[in-house]
Amino acid sequence: MVAGSSIQPRLITTFLGDCRFLPSNSAHSLHRLIRFNPGKDHVSMKMSRTLSGFSNLFNRRNTENFTDSKRKQLKPGKVSPARSVPSNIVKPPYVRSRKAPGIANEPQVHDEKGIECMRASGKLAAQVLQYAGTLVKPGITTDEIDQAVHQMIIDNGAYPSPLGYGGFPKSVCTSVNECICHGIPDSRILEDGDIINIDVTVYLNGYHGDTSATYFVGEVDEEARNLVKVTKECLDKAISICAPGVEFNKIGKTIHDHADKHHYGVVQEFVGHGVGRVFHSDPVILHYRNNDSGRMVLNQTFTIEPMLTIGSIDPVMWNDNWTVVTADGSLSAQFEHTLLITQNGVEILTQC
């Protein structure tokens, strides 16, 4: 998932609830994070790690900006109550505190036991996502997908990481059409021609596994199909360059170069992140060209999760303080994997 920012220097990650506090000595100072131009109808952030009062600076969606005449504009549905989790299932610390956790400064680097735990959580996340994908069809609601995902996760003795993270009310993120990320499952019925990203994170034996994919709902037009195809290619190409000692900024260049070839935009406000014992940690993984420092190290785990758009890359947040959509209503797609840096290169932990 991705992160965001607040008046106190807080940031956003792919789970807009990926909330973390920036250290006071961080190079990512507030003026670097925020770009606001008077007269524009949005605020944009260079990066993201938390959800907070700063989210109120996002202009709420202006229906006049919706440009896609082929689809209905995405609108909020009814959100059902949060689902219960058996008391015997171990919950992440942020669930007990009911507060968004601060950002973890240290990268997630594991010993052999930790690696095995990461493999287990990653495998379960992948299996849950694969199952969720089989449910995607015209006529199903995103709330029904959430119910199925929730049940499969707890049936396997794990906790659905999004549930209760900074107040997020559901167990999975479902982002339809122009939704960039952090869509809340609700009563909206999926329609023929939609695309939907399903973002699954599980907390198993004290470790998080995080993954997402974008699926077609029924018969999807060529424009949407190509966006989804290229977004997946961007992730695959970025993964292929990962290995010990590789600079993280090469991820952003690889993704941005491929997106440019197909004339797609790369969302910059939402980022990948370290993942392991904590949901979000350093390093911040930028999906666009950048000069940030830092190199991959052996036994480190993190996510790559590019979000591409057909039109505007500018995000607009709904009044629920979670759902983020493109400013012009154009389609957005995303794919994500949790990765482990190995001696031979990289291992994808979130695949079946």
Side-chain angles (χ1 to χ4, degrees), residues 168-244:
F168 193 79
K170 288 295 177 179
S171 300
V172 68
C173 295
T174 52
S175 301
V176 179
N177 293 338
E178 68 264 35
C179 185
I180 295 172
C181 59
H182 305 155
I184 298 174
D186 60 21
S187 61
R188 184 190 183 278
I189 295 172
L190 295 183
E191 299 181 2
D192 190 66
D194 286 343
I195 62 173
I196 178 174
N197 175 270
I198 301 177
D199 192 334
V200 171
T201 313
V202 305
Y203 184 69
L204 178 66
N205 299 323
Y207 291 79
H208 297 272
D210 192 1
T211 187
S212 84
T214 299
Y215 297 94
F216 302 131
V217 183
E219 293 299 319
V220 175
D221 64 30
E222 190 60 30
E223 182 181 52
R225 286 183 175 275
N226 196 58
L227 172 68
V228 172
K229 173 178 175 288
V230 173
T231 305
K232 179 62 164 58
E233 289 172 353
C234 282
L235 175 61
D236 291 343
K237 287 178 179 292
I239 291 172
S240 72
I241 64 148
C242 292

Side-chain angles (χ1 to χ4, degrees), residues 255-290:
I255 291 168
H256 214 155
D257 285 353
H258 191 62
D260 277 355
K261 290 179 183 178
H262 297 270
H263 308 291
Y264 292 133
V266 180
V267 175
Q268 298 186 11
E269 280 72 15
F270 299 92
V271 300
H273 51 88
V275 64
R277 284 192 170 276
V278 296
F279 198 164
H280 306 101
S281 77
D282 283 332
V284 167
I285 308 297
L286 305 181
H287 301 120
Y288 57 95
R289 295 184 196 95
N290 66 89

Side-chain angles (χ1 to χ4, degrees), residues 45-111:
M45 288 174 288
K46 294 287 288 182
M47 304 171 45
S48 310
R49 303 190 191 184
T50 83
L51 175 70
S52 69
F54 181 80
S55 65
N56 294 327
L57 296 180
F58 276 99
N59 273 16
R60 305 308 176 184
R61 186 170 194 188
N62 183 348
T63 57
E64 295 177 359
N65 291 337
F66 187 77
T67 59
D68 194 331
S69 60
K70 295 181 294 184
R71 295 180 292 104
K72 296 178 183 176
Q73 183 180 16
L74 189 64
K75 295 182 179 180
K78 182 179 179 180
V79 179
S80 63
R83 308 187 194 284
S84 63
V85 177
S87 59
N88 63 302
I89 290 179
V90 177
K91 302 171 180 61
Y94 56 78
V95 175
R96 294 190 293 272
S97 68
R98 298 189 178 184
K99 296 179 181 179
I103 183 170
N105 295 322
E106 296 183 1
Q108 300 296 289
V109 180
H110 309 278
D111 58 17

